[in-house]
Amino acid sequence: MIDLHTHSSRSDGTDTPAELVATAAAAGITTLGLTDHDTASGWAEAAEAARAHSIRLVRGVEMSATYLSHSVHILAYLLDADHEAFARHTASLRQARTDRLAAMIEAMAAENIITADEVAAHTPEGATPGRPHIADALVARGTYAHRDEAFAGVLSSSSPYYRPYVAPELEQVISTIHDCGGVAIWAHPMARSRWVPTEAEIRDGIALGLDGLEVDHRDNADRDLLGTLVRDSDLIRTGSSDYHGTGKVNRLGEFTTEPDQLEEICQRGVLEVIGG
Ligand code: AMP
Ligand code: FE
Ligand code: FE
Ligand code: ZN
């Protein structure tokens, strides 16, 4: 069972990288992709755990990008995270995310909804900061029972406390990934909870140089259409859970990737899969 899109506590998942690998091995995953938001900081710990549990690890990152003025996520696989182009991307994203989160917290603090200290207490050291960390602080305060409720409430994109953050353009993110020797797969391209592009908009995005689409993901509105686009453009097709530990309902292995598609990713990526 191949699951190529998961999050640890280095971004907004609730399992540490080692816990995530152990949980995946116990769930029968044979090849796991670790794809924290805009950071590769969990790779080393996950690699060590993968060797201990005899599970294969695909090192990846879910990179934030802007396409047609909307926020999109691009999965980067098997890229050289020591490349300076990658360092530039993550440094600028971390700054943008930190500033944006501080602005959201300030607006909420002014109305006694949450304080910066409470959010800091729920942001693991070094984690890529995001709204899920505010959500956890709100759950701890008793305002909501679960992250989902916080996202439906004060954290929703239509809330008066919401602030966007600016990520680099899709074309630039794809070049960064390729400059770093990685493989660029558009994550949940038609996620219902996000902006849903039209077929033409997806085709134009593909033309910017994407290697593939994450067709099989619970949030995609039209997997048949995405499957057709993959066939038409001869792209890599992936399927994954987007597991976030207890932070989301997504279960490990709920969607999976076919071995021949993983093989294509391995052919194109500059890094090896840990564990063969
Ligand atoms: P941000 O990156 O700060 O804009 O927050 C978006 C992140 O929150 C995404 O990466 C999702 O993984 C996570 N997220 C979005 N909606 C939910 C939800 N309903 N429950 C839990 N996590 C969510
Ligand atoms: Fe996330
Ligand atoms: Fe995502
Ligand atoms: Zn994700």
Side-chain angles (χ1 to χ4, degrees):
M1 210 162 32
I2 303 167
D3 187 342
L4 294 181
H5 179 173
T6 68
H7 296 266
S8 78
S9 53
R10 299 307 172 97
S11 61
D12 56 355
T14 56
D15 298 347
T16 63
E19 286 166 353
L20 168 61
V21 169
T23 304
I29 305 294
T30 50
T31 303
L32 178 74
L34 172 65
T35 52
D36 277 311
H37 295 285
D38 301 302
T39 184
S41 73
W43 286 5
E45 181 183 320
E48 192 182 332
R51 291 191 187 94
H53 290 276
S54 302
I55 166 174
R56 302 201 325 151
L57 178 74
V58 176
R59 288 165 287 179
V61 179
E62 186 172 14
M63 291 167 67
S64 304
T66 303
Y67 180 49
L68 303 174
S69 304
H70 296 278
S71 160
V72 295
H73 288 169
I74 307 300
L75 293 159
Y77 290 113
L78 301 176
L79 71 167
D80 173 14
D82 293 328
H83 196 289
E84 56 87 26
F86 181 73
R88 237 183 301 126
H89 173 91
T90 49
S92 82
L93 251 298
R94 177 170 293 266
Q95 195 58 53
R97 282 174 166 279
T98 302
D99 294 349
R100 167 276 197 142
L101 220 65
M104 286 186 69
I105 294 165
E106 190 181 320
M108 295 200 282
E111 297 187 25
N112 282 323
I113 295 168
I114 205 75
T115 65
D117 285 348
E118 286 172 275
V119 178
H122 288 89
T123 309
E125 183 76 36
T128 303
R131 280 179 287 165
H133 301 117
I134 305 182
D136 290 349
L138 288 163
V139 170
R141 198 187 243 239
T143 311
Y144 297 107
H146 191 269
R147 275 188 185 180
D148 272 343
E149 285 183 16
F151 269 88
V154 292
L155 297 180
S156 99
S157 56
S158 54
S159 148
Y161 309 106
Y162 180 79
R163 302 285 185 279
Y165 66 90
V166 179
E169 287 294 320
L170 175 58
E171 190 168 10
Q172 190 190 326
V173 171
I174 294 170
S175 333
T176 297
I177 294 170
H178 287 156
D179 288 349
C180 299
V183 185
I185 310 275
W186 190 346
H188 43 66
M190 300 185 82
R192 289 180 204 88
S193 55
R194 309 175 66 87
W195 163 66
V196 180
T198 63
E199 176 176 345
E201 288 166 339
I202 299 171
R203 286 188 190 278
D204 289 346
I206 290 169
L208 297 176
L210 285 164
D211 295 285
L213 302 181
E214 185 182 51
V215 175
D216 302 298
H217 183 292
R218 65 155 63 214
D219 293 350
N220 280 333
D222 192 343
R223 287 163 52 207
D224 289 341
L225 170 60
L226 294 171
T228 302
L229 293 174
V230 158
R231 275 193 302 279
D232 285 359
S233 303
D234 198 22
L235 297 174
I236 297 171
R237 172 181 185 140
T238 68
S240 300
S241 64
D242 204 356
Y243 173 81
H244 280 67
T246 58
K248 272 189 172 181
V249 294
N250 309 34
R251 300 303 5 137
L252 281 164
E254 65 176 30
F255 287 100
T256 56
T257 298
E258 292 301 318
D260 61 330
Q261 300 302 295
L262 171 61
E263 187 50 39
E264 189 58 38
I265 291 172
C266 295
Q267 294 288 328
R268 296 189 199 185
V270 73
L271 294 188
E272 299 294 320
V273 173
I274 305 274

